[in-house]
Amino acid sequence: MTGETTCAISVSGLSVHYGTVHALDNVNLSLDHGKVHGLIGTNGSGKSTLFNTLMGETSPTSGTVVLSDRRERRVAYVPQSEHVDWNFPLSVHEVVMTGRYGHMGMLRHPSAADRDAVTGALERTDLTDLADRQIGQLSGGQKKRAFVARGLAQQARTLLLDEPFAGVDAVSQDTIVRLLHELAADGACILISTHDLASVEHLCDTVTMLRGSVVAHGSPADVMTTDNLLKTFGMAA
């Protein structure tokens, strides 16, 4: 892949403790623009805590987190499905339009540029025909594509995706993977949390193996060794 390789996400000495529970301990991580980065680990390994801290929803016990695109509001988040209220009365078009809020004035009246950005995002995610449908009526894969479309409309340069392929059909997964590779090639930083170890090598440029702290970080071919898999998952692939 080509594109920018400036640092998008910098995590230094990050620890997050919930009382006596140490969710993260001394995590150090640097992720560049222009790449797809994978984040793998068991449930309870700290992946969701790291995402929440990156998004500013969880405060560190110690350490720092810097997202270079936050100041320009060009950081987008695709959450796990269970963290979304799918009964909320918004259409797919309206959900994608929320990605433009940072570009609008206080009254949030969409401009021609806002409408064009949403139209283009719906086209790229193959959701044009579903634009007027209530978001909860979509399939699992279509819902994920709608949130990716929101990030596209936002013109995000850092995109965080928490388990984007869980419960997703093959067509939606292929669409999302294609878009993520295109965005990285255009200079975006993509961070994906995934349980699908088989997809990591062809999907990601780097992988971070997490178990409360960083077990290993580097290219999938270099770090997904039997020893590191045992340390991360207690198992061998």
Side-chain angles (χ1 to χ4, degrees), residues 23-89:
L24 294 173
D25 269 318
N26 194 33
V27 171
N28 296 283
L29 196 59
S30 180
L31 304 178
D32 291 338
H33 287 105
K35 294 181 179 180
V36 178
H37 306 278
L39 180 66
I40 61 175
T42 61
N43 290 332
S45 64
K47 300 191 305 297
S48 292
T49 297
L50 179 58
F51 270 78
N52 290 337
T53 307
L54 291 174
M55 292 303 300
E57 296 173 1
T58 295
S59 298
T61 303
S62 60
T64 60
V65 170
V66 177
L67 277 68
S68 64
D69 295 314
R70 194 190 304 279
R71 180 176 298 178
E72 296 180 354
R73 298 183 180 179
R74 297 184 70 181
V75 177
Y77 178 48
V78 179
Q80 293 188 35
S81 293
E82 56 265 33
H83 296 159
V84 179
D85 179 5
W86 299 114
N87 295 317
F88 202 75

Side-chain angles (χ1 to χ4, degrees), residues 97-222:
M97 184 62 78
T98 64
R100 298 297 300 173
Y101 282 178
H103 301 267
M104 298 181 190
M106 290 183 62
L107 297 179
R108 290 181 177 171
H109 288 158
S111 66
D114 296 323
R115 290 190 289 271
D116 287 346
V118 170
T119 297
L122 290 168
E123 290 175 351
R124 290 185 71 181
T125 51
D126 297 328
L127 290 173
T128 301
D129 293 342
L130 301 174
D132 295 327
R133 190 169 296 185
Q134 192 271 335
I135 187 68
Q137 296 176 355
L138 271 58
S139 70
Q142 290 166 344
K143 290 172 181 174
K144 291 293 176 67
R145 279 191 271 151
F147 276 87
V148 172
R150 184 179 68 170
L152 291 173
Q154 185 180 340
Q155 297 176 323
R157 292 185 73 250
T158 297
L159 188 59
L160 312 176
L161 302 97
D162 197 355
E163 297 292 342
F165 306 125
V168 168
D169 59 273
V171 172
S172 289
Q173 179 162 336
D174 289 345
T175 299
I176 293 170
V177 169
R178 172 179 55 80
L179 285 169
L180 297 181
H181 283 155
E182 290 176 1
L183 290 169
D186 288 340
C189 171
I190 313 294
L191 177 60
I192 302 173
S193 168
T194 181
H195 281 100
D196 186 3
L197 300 185
S199 70
V200 169
E201 189 159 358
H202 78 268
L203 173 63
C204 301
D205 298 294
T206 77
V207 60
T208 301
M209 307 177 79
L210 192 68
R211 192 165 186 170
S213 57
V214 175
V215 174
H217 172 78
S219 71
D222 288 339

